[in-house]
Amino acid sequence: MIDNPFYSPEAHGPYEYFELGDFELEEGQTLRGAKLAYRTHGELSAAKDNAILITTWFSGTHAIFDEVYVGEGHALDPAKYFIVIVNQIGNGLSTSPHNTDGPFAMGRFPHVRIGDDVRAQEQLLREQFGIERLELVTGGSMGAQQSYEWAVRFPDKVRRAAPMAGTAKNTPHDFLWVQTLMDAITSDPAFRDGYYTDGAEVRLGLARHALLWSVMGFSTEFFRSEAWRGAGFTSLEDFQVGFVEAYFGVMDPNALLCMAWKWQRGDVSRHTDGDLAAALGRITAKVFVIPIDEDMFFPPRDCAAEEALIPDSELRVVNTVGGHLGLFGLEPAYMEQIDRHLGELLAAGG
Amino acid sequence: MIDNPFYSPEAHGPYEYFELGDFELEEGQTLRGAKLAYRTHGELSAAKDNAILITTWFSGTHAIFDEVYVGEGHALDPAKYFIVIVNQIGNGLSTSPHNTDGPFAMGRFPHVRIGDDVRAQEQLLREQFGIERLELVTGGSMGAQQSYEWAVRFPDKVRRAAPMAGTAKNTPHDFLWVQTLMDAITSDPAFRDGYYTDGAEVRLGLARHALLWSVMGFSTEFFRSEAWRGAGFTSLEDFQVGFVEAYFGVMDPNALLCMAWKWQRGDVSRHTDGDLAAALGRITAKVFVIPIDEDMFFPPRDCAAEEALIPDSELRVVNTVGGHLGLFGLEPAYMEQIDRHLGELLAAGG
């Protein structure tokens, strides 16, 4: 166990824990005494028919949704919906390499799959709140992977799904790109096969990992237009060090690797012997597939190909020079688009 | 000095050397006894009015042009033109870190700029062949940077220019992407600040560098469509190891770093106090700007913005799922497009 102050209510605002117990993973190992960290907004109706699940992305937690996506004036409005944001396994707040005791800590933390997260989330919603059906499941990037997994694995439990900037089956290109992220960290001699004593020791690997995010995470236009000035930075290096490196630099390297391995293998066609059309054809939810136009690794082309395989679906492309990391919602025009799409989806019968 | 068998006529076919002498670089240092390795095709006309210069890209040499771009049936036809392909400084065949003696070898090889290459090439063409004017200068990627530099620095010496898949002024995004390439190599402990005894010692850094090329060098569609099967590979890993890693793995790490530093700083506006419009406005050559539609780091958008600043120019976008590395010409449809554009440019008055 490592005491990393980043993974705390001080850094993320309030959250609660759900005890999963001993949770068997798809890869065969068991997370003993596993926990999910989650945050709720709003009130669950007596009929339990106003629940929305939000799933988290790589490196993300519930906090970004608290701050950017959920609230009065947004489609995800706590005055109307009971909103549950669940931190994915391995993200540092839920059970993760650095907060695990015993032989499976740190460099020996088991491999976790998107399906594990979705099963754990279903258990949380059912056992803690008695929720049997979701009005909406949504999330970005790895959160989209979880949203798709929900819609395919539990078709009767999902009325609507809005996967943003992500795919149902990860692409080979995306696999390679995530591998570069992992290599940036594991190639740092200070990583020591995951047995560092403080994540900050791996700062050079984390910095290289952060630089890769700048190259692939935004867009060429983001940098050409110096859009980072809008966030108060005064030069490219100022932004790279002060924002991108700073963002990742406080995180646990093993946590990032746990999520990265999971991300590489997101694939709903595991339910249908590799037949993606059959898997997506099982979806009964109304689905808005929401790619970002400038996304360099979940390009609209790949998202559109999946959307075409989903019975009751629409493609809703969002425009932002933020690229994939437009998900952070730094641009007001981004959230306006998201709110419009999610609002229309929630207003539609599902 | 390191004896690297990759940098030899056995690996690259025949070439000749031009002695530059002591060549002072823009950054202030001097390459003593510098040489340019070059290859010619065809015969220089008596009037010396049929010369074409081809410049090389990052990691490239004259060989790829011998094999793919130059020959009977191509626009670059030795039956009509005297074609000179010049290896850029630092590419391993021309003066480079590993083939330099004395204090400036290896990790102390001086920084070289695009302008240094172009001045050296001008000296070669003038002193060796008496060529005062080029019918065409062309090249891809860093070769495009050199082509632009020629057209801006020596407007009276360039009738036509065809920069392919590259920019006149490198973009901030491109700078960051190239930095990830450099970091992949320099972060390998075996790199030892450039003082390895054999480039192959840096194989892990070179492999990470190769993986980055796969992510950014091709296109998402290249991998989705498994276009690598066309080159005889049987799996993604087979391709990654057997082609991409193998391609870079034989090269000298310091050579790649020399070219990368140069690439990051390509900028014709150095001639005009940073005013890109003024620099490109100086071009008198007829220019076909030839980006590749799927290029992830020299996207058509950036190339089109520069094209708009060049007086006598056209934008000719080439389509290939090969992305930036479509430049290798693995797709027949790619070379057909290039030949058409270059053929039309050569047929036009300049």
Side-chain angles (χ1 to χ4, degrees):
Chain A
M1 299 241 296
I2 287 181
D3 180 32
N4 183 330
F6 177 66
Y7 301 113
S8 68
E10 288 69 34
H12 287 92
Y15 52 87
E16 298 170 83
Y17 281 114
F18 173 73
E19 303 281 346
L20 278 168
D22 292 347
F23 190 80
E24 188 172 342
L25 300 167
E26 292 188 3
E27 290 292 298
Q29 296 192 42
T30 293
L31 290 178
R32 291 176 176 81
K35 297 178 184 184
L36 289 182
Y38 67 97
R39 175 80 194 269
T40 68
H41 296 267
E43 301 287 333
L44 184 60
S45 64
K48 304 190 175 188
D49 62 357
N50 70 334
I52 290 176
L53 172 66
I54 301 177
T55 52
T56 62
W57 56 64
F58 177 83
S59 83
T61 71
H62 63 276
I64 185 79
F65 292 97
D66 290 353
E67 294 159 13
V68 178
Y69 285 77
V70 173
E72 193 185 338
H74 288 298
L76 303 173
D77 185 351
K80 297 168 67 177
Y81 298 103
F82 179 62
I83 299 165
V84 187
I85 316 167
V86 184
N87 292 278
Q88 66 169 296
I89 298 167
N91 86 330
L93 291 179
S94 291
T95 289
S96 296
H98 86 281
N99 63 21
T100 291
D101 263 334
F104 298 107
M106 303 292 289
R108 283 294 197 196
F109 195 75
H111 289 314
V112 182
R113 284 189 174 271
I114 294 290
D116 294 319
D117 276 291
V118 168
R119 287 187 301 113
Q121 290 158 9
E122 192 274 341
Q123 185 179 338
L124 157 62
L125 293 174
R126 183 167 36 79
E127 294 184 359
Q128 186 74 11
F129 301 110
I131 295 170
E132 294 286 352
R133 194 162 190 221
L134 292 166
E135 288 299 293
L136 171 69
V137 57
T138 188
S141 200
M142 287 186 73
Q145 293 182 312
Q146 294 164 70
S147 299
Y148 277 120
E149 179 76 17
W150 261 95
V152 171
R153 184 183 282 261
F154 300 121
D156 296 341
K157 288 173 176 276
V158 181
R159 284 193 74 187
R160 301 178 192 84
M164 303 182 287
T167 50
K169 176 175 177 162
N170 206 35
T171 66
H173 176 266
D174 205 79
F175 186 98
L176 295 179
W177 138 243
V178 178
Q179 190 62 47
T180 69
L181 293 175
M182 299 171 80
D183 290 354
I185 294 171
T186 59
S187 64
D188 186 337
F191 176 67
R192 297 197 292 151
D193 291 335
Y195 290 97
Y196 45 83
T197 55
D198 181 334
E201 295 166 10
V202 194
R203 64 176 65 81
L204 295 180
L206 289 172
R208 293 198 299 271
H209 166 275
L211 186 60
L212 289 165
W213 271 104
S214 282
V215 172
M216 290 290 289
F218 300 99
S219 72
T220 58
E221 198 64 6
F222 178 86
F223 292 104
R224 192 207 57 77
S225 64
E226 302 189 345
W228 38 262
R229 289 196 188 277
F233 294 94
T234 53
S235 73
L236 182 57
E237 189 176 9
D238 194 47
F239 172 73
Q240 179 60 29
V241 175
F243 183 80
V244 192
E245 284 191 21
Y247 173 76
F248 288 110
V250 294
M251 296 181 187
D252 184 69
N254 283 317
L256 295 173
L257 292 168
C258 173
M259 289 183 277
W261 191 95
K262 192 196 298 183
W263 173 0
Q264 288 182 306
R265 290 160 183 82
D267 181 4
V268 296
S269 78
R270 284 164 51 84
H271 294 289
T272 48
D273 287 328
D275 184 338
L276 182 62
L280 294 175
R282 278 167 50 163
I283 297 176
T284 55
K286 184 173 189 66
V287 180
F288 277 12
V289 172
I290 308 178
I292 292 173
D293 60 346
E294 295 272 357
D295 197 316
M296 293 179 77
F297 47 94
F298 291 119
R301 176 169 52 195
D302 289 342
C303 300
E306 294 186 337
E307 186 273 328
L309 300 174
I310 302 171
D312 185 10
S313 65
E314 291 182 32
L315 185 72
R316 299 287 187 110
V317 180
V318 165
N319 308 112
T320 170
V321 298
H324 187 76
L325 297 180
L327 286 169
F328 280 73
L330 296 175
E331 277 189 300
Y334 167 81
M335 268 316 297
E336 288 166 16
Q337 296 172 75
I338 292 294
D339 279 327
R340 178 161 50 82
H341 297 311
L342 294 184
E344 290 180 19
L345 179 57
L346 284 165
Chain B
M1 299 244 294
I2 287 181
D3 180 32
N4 183 330
F6 177 65
Y7 301 114
S8 68
E10 288 69 34
H12 287 91
Y15 52 87
E16 298 170 83
Y17 282 114
F18 173 73
E19 303 280 345
L20 278 169
D22 292 348
F23 190 79
E24 187 173 340
L25 300 166
E26 292 188 3
E27 291 292 298
Q29 295 193 43
T30 293
L31 290 178
R32 291 176 175 81
K35 297 178 184 183
L36 289 182
Y38 67 96
R39 174 80 194 268
T40 68
H41 296 268
E43 301 287 333
L44 184 60
S45 64
K48 304 192 175 187
D49 62 356
N50 70 334
I52 290 176
L53 172 66
I54 301 178
T55 52
T56 62
W57 54 64
F58 177 83
S59 83
T61 71
H62 64 275
I64 184 79
F65 291 97
D66 290 353
E67 294 159 14
V68 178
Y69 285 76
V70 173
E72 193 185 340
H74 289 298
L76 302 173
D77 185 350
K80 295 168 68 177
Y81 298 103
F82 179 62
I83 300 166
V84 186
I85 316 167
V86 183
N87 291 278
Q88 67 169 295
I89 298 167
N91 86 330
L93 291 180
S94 291
T95 290
S96 297
H98 86 280
N99 63 21
T100 292
D101 263 332
F104 298 107
M106 304 291 290
R108 283 294 197 195
F109 195 75
H111 288 314
V112 182
R113 284 189 173 272
I114 294 290
D116 295 319
D117 276 291
V118 168
R119 288 187 302 112
Q121 291 159 8
E122 193 273 342
Q123 184 179 337
L124 157 63
L125 293 175
R126 182 168 35 80
E127 294 184 359
Q128 187 74 14
F129 301 110
I131 295 169
E132 294 287 351
R133 196 161 188 221
L134 291 166
E135 288 300 291
L136 171 68
V137 57
T138 187
S141 200
M142 288 186 72
Q145 293 182 313
Q146 294 164 69
S147 299
Y148 277 120
E149 179 76 17
W150 261 96
V152 171
R153 183 184 281 261
F154 300 121
D156 296 341
K157 288 174 175 276
V158 181
R159 284 192 74 187
R160 302 178 192 84
M164 303 182 288
T167 51
K169 176 175 177 162
N170 206 34
T171 66
H173 176 266
D174 204 80
F175 186 97
L176 295 180
W177 138 242
V178 178
Q179 191 62 48
T180 69
L181 293 175
M182 298 171 80
D183 289 355
I185 293 171
T186 59
S187 65
D188 186 337
F191 176 67
R192 297 197 292 149
D193 292 336
Y195 290 98
Y196 45 83
T197 55
D198 181 336
E201 295 167 11
V202 195
R203 64 176 64 81
L204 295 179
L206 289 172
R208 293 199 297 273
H209 166 274
L211 186 61
L212 289 165
W213 271 104
S214 282
V215 171
M216 290 290 288
F218 300 99
S219 72
T220 58
E221 199 64 8
F222 177 86
F223 291 105
R224 192 207 56 77
S225 64
E226 301 188 345
W228 38 262
R229 289 196 188 276
F233 294 95
T234 53
S235 74
L236 181 57
E237 189 176 8
D238 194 47
F239 172 73
Q240 180 59 31
V241 175
F243 183 80
V244 191
E245 284 192 21
Y247 173 75
F248 288 110
V250 294
M251 297 183 188
D252 183 69
N254 283 317
L256 295 173
L257 292 168
C258 173
M259 289 183 277
W261 191 95
K262 191 196 299 182
W263 172 1
Q264 287 182 306
R265 290 160 183 82
D267 180 5
V268 297
S269 78
R270 285 164 50 86
H271 295 289
T272 49
D273 287 328
D275 184 339
L276 182 62
L280 294 175
R282 279 166 51 163
I283 297 177
T284 55
K286 183 173 190 67
V287 180
F288 278 12
V289 172
I290 307 179
I292 291 173
D293 61 346
E294 296 271 358
D295 197 316
M296 294 180 78
F297 47 95
F298 291 118
R301 177 168 54 193
D302 289 343
C303 300
E306 294 186 337
E307 186 274 326
L309 299 173
I310 303 171
D312 185 9
S313 65
E314 292 182 32
L315 185 72
R316 299 287 186 110
V317 180
V318 165
N319 308 111
T320 170
V321 297
H324 186 76
L325 296 180
L327 285 169
F328 280 75
L330 296 175
E331 276 189 300
Y334 167 81
M335 268 317 296
E336 288 166 17
Q337 296 172 76
I338 292 295
D339 279 327
R340 178 161 51 83
H341 296 311
L342 294 184
E344 290 179 20
L345 179 58
L346 284 165

